[in-house]
């Protein structure tokens, strides 16, 4: 079993749900990323999604767009992101790490080269936002060869036949985007999420994590009652941006938000 499978199995045995924070690697400074990853685990993270900075993050709202810009100003590239994962793995061998980003940097590096380097660093899954399953065979094969999960997105507008197709191509977990729009959008309709998750579960036994629109303990708790995992990104990244001149304060504020969500989900 992979670290991701182990994680969800262990949580299920305890009747708990996965808390999955997202941060952008290198934001607001490269020296913050690894300490922040450890801080997130201590605050209750079960899986970490680590964003690969990209110049045109079209699925992301202004908060994560700005995070990518901050990271890119420090020259963060995919090799440095993998080095951060490797450093994290020096003292944490159990928390799954999923790289989340866009296809161009991976394609530029080469699928086989990337998959090998990611496995060596200790990456467990890859979610490529702009890669549909119809075009993912080469990357998915490379990742599978190195026992790395391919994670895909589902949206409120994904039709039945396509849900089945995406579920078949996926491993690790499915990421359900809870609303139409970009990351950081304001509205979250819990009843709509419940209806869609029921539909998705007709096509897969994979765990389903829900992201977009989750901002605090109340929204995390509501979604955790329905899904196998809760993904939070913009609420954390906005604090990093607000405290970009003070890494210690950023670390404290981000981990406090996550700890509140963990407490709400477990209560």
């Amino acid at each position: 079993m992979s670290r991701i499978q182990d994680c969800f199995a262990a949580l299920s045995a305890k009747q708990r749900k996965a808390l999955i924070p997202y941060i952008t690697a290198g934001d607001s400074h490269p020296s913050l990323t690894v300490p922040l990853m450890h801080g997130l685990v201590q605050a209750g993270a079960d899986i970490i999604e680590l964003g690969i900075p990209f110049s045109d993050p079209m699925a992301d709202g202004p908060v994560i767009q700005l995070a990518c810009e901050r990271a890119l100003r420090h020259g963060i590239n995919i090799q440095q992101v993998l080095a951060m994962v490797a450093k994290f793995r020096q003292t944490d061998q159990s928390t799954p790490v999923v790289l989340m980003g866009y296809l161009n940097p991976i394609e530029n590096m080469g699928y086989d080269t990337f998959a090998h380097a990611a496995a060596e660093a200790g990456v467990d899954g890859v979610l490529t936002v702009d890669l549909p399953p119809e075009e993912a065979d080469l990357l998915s094969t490379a990742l599978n060869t190195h026992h790395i999960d391919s994670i895909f997105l589902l949206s409120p507008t994904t039709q039945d036949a396509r849900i089945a197709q995406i579920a078949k191509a996926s491993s690790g977990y499915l990421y359900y985007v809870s609303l139409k729009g970009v990351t950081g959008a304001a509205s979250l309709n819990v009843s709509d999420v419940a209806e869609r998750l029921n539909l998705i579960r007709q096509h897969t036994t994979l765990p389903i994590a829900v992201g977009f629109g989750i901002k605090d303990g109340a929204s995390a708790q509501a979604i955790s009652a329905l899904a196998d995992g809760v993904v939070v990104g913009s609420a954390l990244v906005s604090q990093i941006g607000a405290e970009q001149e003070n890494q210690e304060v950023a670390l404290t504020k981000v981990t406090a938000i996550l700890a509140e969500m963990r407490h709400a989900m477990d209560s």
Side-chain angles (χ1 to χ4, degrees), residues 97-121:
V97 175
V98 173
L99 296 186
M100 186 171 182
Y102 296 83
L103 183 61
N104 280 27
I106 295 172
E107 190 169 69
N108 185 60
M109 187 174 182
Y111 296 155
D112 292 328
T113 301
F114 166 75
H116 175 76
E120 288 289 306

Side-chain angles (χ1 to χ4, degrees), residues 157-175:
T157 59
T158 306
Q159 299 298 310
D160 261 24
R162 188 157 179 78
I163 292 173
Q165 180 185 14
I166 293 171
K168 185 178 179 180
S170 300
S171 60
Y173 60 94
L174 288 164
Y175 186 133

Side-chain angles (χ1 to χ4, degrees), residues 56-61 64-65 100 102 129-130 153 177 181-184 212:
D56 300 284
M58 68 285 287
D60 293 295
I64 293 177
Q65 288 181 27
M100 186 171 182
Y102 296 83
V129 177
D130 55 346
L153 297 170
V177 175
V182 295
T183 56
F212 287 44

Side-chain angles (χ1 to χ4, degrees), residues 2-121:
S2 70
R3 267 188 286 250
I4 293 174
Q5 289 173 310
D6 284 344
C7 176
F8 279 107
L11 288 168
S12 179
K14 297 176 183 178
Q15 297 185 316
R16 297 174 72 233
K17 303 298 179 70
L19 179 55
I20 309 174
Y22 166 95
I23 58 171
T24 302
D27 177 34
S28 60
H29 191 277
S31 62
L32 177 61
T33 301
V34 175
L36 184 52
M37 292 171 73
H38 288 300
L40 292 170
V41 174
Q42 292 168 7
D46 299 294
I47 298 170
I48 292 174
E49 287 186 355
L50 187 62
I52 302 170
F54 185 56
S55 57
D56 300 284
M58 68 285 287
D60 293 295
V63 169
I64 293 177
Q65 288 181 27
L66 288 170
C68 286
E69 290 179 11
R70 290 191 295 268
L72 291 172
R73 280 200 293 269
H74 291 287
I76 297 299
N77 57 35
I78 198 166
Q79 289 85 358
Q80 290 170 300
V81 175
L82 293 175
M84 292 172 182
V85 177
K87 187 174 181 181
F88 174 74
R89 283 280 173 247
Q90 290 175 6
T91 49
D92 188 321
Q93 289 289 320
S94 59
T95 304
V97 175
V98 173
L99 296 186
M100 186 171 182
Y102 296 83
L103 183 61
N104 280 27
I106 295 172
E107 190 169 69
N108 185 60
M109 187 174 182
Y111 296 155
D112 292 328
T113 301
F114 166 75
H116 175 76
E120 288 289 306

Side-chain angles (χ1 to χ4, degrees), residues 32 35 243 245-255:
L32 177 61
E243 300 295 342
E245 302 302 326
N246 192 326
Q247 293 184 36
E248 288 298 323
V249 173
L251 179 60
T252 298
K253 288 190 174 183
V254 168
T255 53

Side-chain angles (χ1 to χ4, degrees), residues 67-265:
C68 286
E69 290 179 11
R70 290 191 295 268
L72 291 172
R73 280 200 293 269
H74 291 287
I76 297 299
N77 57 35
I78 198 166
Q79 289 85 358
Q80 290 170 300
V81 175
L82 293 175
M84 292 172 182
V85 177
K87 187 174 181 181
F88 174 74
R89 283 280 173 247
Q90 290 175 6
T91 49
D92 188 321
Q93 289 289 320
S94 59
T95 304
V97 175
V98 173
L99 296 186
M100 186 171 182
Y102 296 83
L103 183 61
N104 280 27
I106 295 172
E107 190 169 69
N108 185 60
M109 187 174 182
Y111 296 155
D112 292 328
T113 301
F114 166 75
H116 175 76
E120 288 289 306
V123 171
D124 302 287
V126 174
L127 197 169
T128 312
V129 177
D130 55 346
L131 182 64
E134 297 93 335
E135 300 176 16
D137 285 351
L138 291 176
L139 178 56
S140 293
T141 298
L143 294 175
N144 185 59
T145 298
H146 293 279
H147 310 290
I148 297 174
D149 286 316
S150 296
I151 299 164
F152 289 93
L153 297 170
L154 294 165
S155 78
T157 59
T158 306
Q159 299 298 310
D160 261 24
R162 188 157 179 78
I163 292 173
Q165 180 185 14
I166 293 171
K168 185 178 179 180
S170 300
S171 60
Y173 60 94
L174 288 164
Y175 186 133
Y176 176 67
V177 175
S178 64
L179 44 83
K180 302 173 187 177
V182 295
T183 56
S187 59
L188 178 64
N189 189 316
V190 175
S191 62
D192 283 353
V193 172
E195 183 178 342
R196 294 296 295 176
L197 294 189
N198 288 335
L199 175 61
I200 294 166
R201 286 195 173 102
Q202 295 175 23
H203 298 281
T204 186
T205 58
L206 285 172
I208 305 170
V210 175
F212 287 44
I214 297 162
K215 301 177 182 300
D216 51 26
S219 53
Q221 183 182 53
I223 294 300
S224 70
L226 307 171
D228 302 294
V230 173
V231 183
V232 55
S234 294
L236 306 180
V237 175
S238 64
Q239 291 298 319
I240 296 171
E243 300 295 342
Q244 57 188 282
E245 302 302 326
N246 192 326
Q247 293 184 36
E248 288 298 323
V249 173
L251 179 60
T252 298
K253 288 190 174 183
V254 168
T255 53
I257 292 171
L258 200 72
E260 178 204 355
M261 291 183 172
R262 178 82 271 170
H263 177 74
M265 289 168 61

